[in-house]
Amino acid sequence: MIQFIRQRLGAKLFLSYLLVILIGAIVLTIATRFTAPPAYNRHLAIMEQMMGNTSPSMMGPGMGMGMTGEEGSGMGRRWGRSGEENGLFIGFQQSLREALLWAALAAGLAALSVSVFLSRRVVAPVHAMMAASKRIAAGHYDERVPETGQDELGQLAHSFNRMAAQLEQVEQMRRRLIGDVAHELRTPLTAIKGSMEGLIDGVLPATTETYHQIYQEAERLNRLVDDLQELSRVEAGAYELNLHAADLHILVGTVVKRLRRAFEEKNIRLTIDLPPNLPPVSADDDRIIQVLTNLLDNARRYTPSGGTVTLRAVQSGKEVRITVQDTGIGIPPEHLPHIFDRFYRVDASRSRRAGGSGIGLTIARHLVEAHGGRIWVESEVGKGSAFTFTLPIAGETSG
């Protein structure tokens, strides 16, 4: 029985209501025991005073006798100097007890009925959440519970549904990630396998060019694995930032040296616009170089030959805004909210060779946010895109 009560919230609530009823009945009985005699004597004295003004012939036997101080102690002895018990007081007590007994029974039955009803109302949402949590644990992330009322149970149900929705979103992202990784790995592996089969069957000549193509696909596969590993570390926060006062002129100069040849080969003009009095920013050199490299290389990929890519920076309050703007193909408005999602491409038909893996912008977003900054994109189809991110000024709090 005790084990059953410990395991049932409804039983605990029912017993708590029952305990309240019992305590109330006990208090009522004790209070009546000590307050009824003085109240009876007081009202009887008032009656005697009122009847004292009437004629003696209208008074019954024993009426009109005064109350002594010793007899006013509430022990039930009022009439008769011989010490005989007051029959009227005994009858009053019996009638009072009987009335209280029936009232207590009626109140107890009503209270028990109400307690059972309320217990079920309280326990029902809890049982619903228990059943829903078991289904979620079994993989049914679309499970929800009804949100009734604005009390604590309603707020708990709302929080439970939010948790379930987030779990469902995480599960969808996990499934999409697995599919995207499988697709990205399949492309270079298929090319390598096809080339090797061609060499074995003698369809492809065993020349340096053939081996170079196989090597490029293997290198592309290796970069994808490195990107996936980097993305995993960045999203998990499994890295340390060596924040210090960094000079953006030096960081940008390092990135330009790495990418200038790639821009020249595609005949794209790379312009740098940094004011000389730009304050130092709080940054990790390697990570910000990685962000700038991803943004500039992304702009180079989607800018046609003869276009221009401009990198500019400007101070804005307690932060510095860095913008990479291109004159490329632009991004349709419906794709802008998803541009920083992993493996997302505006043109899903683009190969990894033409459009990248779709990981670079995701890594850039996580790195910028780890520095306390923000990153966003503005674009117009046919006129190009502008990726902007912020970094806090060294010694200042980003606003």
Side-chain angles (χ1 to χ4, degrees):
M1 183 64 179
I2 297 178
Q3 187 69 17
F4 175 82
I5 295 175
R6 289 178 177 177
Q7 296 178 353
R8 297 292 188 275
L9 178 60
K12 292 179 181 179
L13 290 174
F14 178 79
L15 287 180
S16 65
Y17 296 145
L18 184 61
L19 182 61
V20 171
I21 295 172
L22 292 177
I23 293 176
I26 293 173
V27 172
L28 180 63
T29 302
I30 295 175
T32 303
R33 174 68 179 84
F34 286 98
T35 59
Y40 175 79
N41 291 335
R42 184 171 61 255
H43 286 285
L44 188 60
I46 295 173
M47 183 183 296
E48 289 178 350
Q49 292 178 1
M50 294 176 60
M51 297 181 68
N53 297 327
T54 62
S55 60
S57 61
M58 296 178 63
M59 299 175 60
M63 298 183 66
M65 297 182 179
M67 180 181 63
T68 65
E70 295 177 354
E71 293 169 338
S73 61
M75 299 302 296
R77 302 184 178 276
R78 291 261 335 149
W79 290 355
R81 297 179 180 178
S82 62
E84 296 179 356
E85 273 196 357
N86 189 344
L88 181 60
F89 180 71
I90 294 175
F92 168 76
Q93 285 186 320
Q94 290 177 349
S95 61
L96 181 62
R97 293 194 191 100
E98 184 177 352
L100 288 176
L101 177 61
W102 285 108
L105 289 176
L109 290 176
L112 288 176
S113 301
V114 173
S115 65
V116 171
F117 174 75
L118 294 178
S119 298
R120 290 180 177 177
R121 289 290 301 270
V122 172
V123 175
V126 178
H127 285 169
M129 279 184 275
M130 288 175 57
S133 63
K134 291 180 180 179
R135 288 184 56 81
I136 290 176
H140 303 280
Y141 297 101
D142 58 342
E143 190 72 19
R144 300 293 185 272
V145 296
E147 301 179 15
T148 56
Q150 300 295 327
D151 56 3
E152 287 79 359
L153 287 175
Q155 295 175 10
L156 179 61
H158 179 70
S159 299
F160 182 90
N161 288 337
R162 286 186 57 188
M163 178 198 69
Q166 292 177 355
L167 288 175
E168 184 179 14
Q169 183 179 7
V170 170
E171 176 64 14
Q172 291 175 353
M173 292 175 62
R174 184 188 67 84
R175 293 176 180 176
R176 191 179 70 179
L177 176 61
I178 293 175
D180 291 338
V181 170
H183 175 74
E184 294 295 334
L185 292 176
R186 186 183 298 112
T187 301
L189 286 175
T190 301
I192 293 174
K193 181 180 178 181
S195 298
M196 295 303 298
E197 289 178 349
L199 288 173
I200 294 173
D201 297 337
V203 177
L204 290 178
T207 61
T208 303
E209 182 180 358
T210 301
Y211 291 123
H212 183 66
Q213 291 177 352
I214 297 175
Y215 175 80
Q216 285 183 330
E217 295 297 334
E219 183 64 21
R220 194 169 293 114
L221 181 61
N222 184 69
R223 286 200 302 269
L224 175 59
V225 173
D226 290 341
D227 289 344
L228 289 172
Q229 184 179 14
E230 180 68 13
L231 176 63
S232 176
R233 293 176 63 247
V234 168
E235 289 188 332
Y239 62 92
E240 294 183 0
L241 290 178
N242 182 22
L243 297 177
H244 66 98
D247 188 346
L248 270 178
H249 294 84
I250 298 176
L251 300 181
V252 171
T254 302
V255 176
V256 170
K257 289 179 181 178
R258 293 182 180 179
L259 298 178
R260 185 173 293 279
R261 182 177 178 180
F263 277 84
E264 291 176 350
E265 290 178 351
K266 198 175 178 181
N267 191 27
I268 297 175
R269 181 184 178 186
L270 178 59
T271 303
I272 308 300
D273 181 12
L274 299 180
N277 59 343
L278 197 64
V281 294
S282 177
D284 182 311
D285 291 354
D286 294 336
R287 295 301 181 180
I288 295 305
I289 288 175
Q290 185 177 1
V291 172
L292 291 171
T293 301
N294 286 342
L295 294 180
L296 286 172
D297 190 59
N298 185 74
R300 180 187 63 84
R301 290 177 182 272
Y302 293 99
T303 301
S305 177
T308 302
V309 174
T310 303
L311 191 155
R312 64 171 61 93
V314 61
Q315 181 179 354
S316 177
K318 296 181 179 180
E319 62 185 15
V320 173
R321 294 188 177 185
I322 301 99
T323 301
V324 176
Q325 186 171 8
D326 62 63
T327 58
I329 60 177
I331 304 171
E334 64 271 16
H335 295 282
L336 292 177
H338 309 285
I339 201 66
F340 294 101
D341 294 347
R342 64 169 82 97
F343 294 108
Y344 189 85
R345 293 197 189 97
V346 175
D347 186 358
S349 64
R350 285 181 177 266
S351 65
R352 175 175 169 80
R353 179 182 301 176
S357 64
I359 297 178
L361 292 179
T362 306
I363 295 175
R365 175 172 62 87
H366 284 282
L367 292 178
V368 169
E369 291 176 352
H371 281 77
R374 299 166 290 121
I375 186 170
W376 66 93
V377 60
E378 298 172 342
S379 182
E380 186 175 351
V381 176
K383 294 185 178 181
S385 305
F387 286 84
T388 303
F389 68 96
T390 64
L391 291 175
I393 296 175
E396 300 284 354
T397 303
S398 62

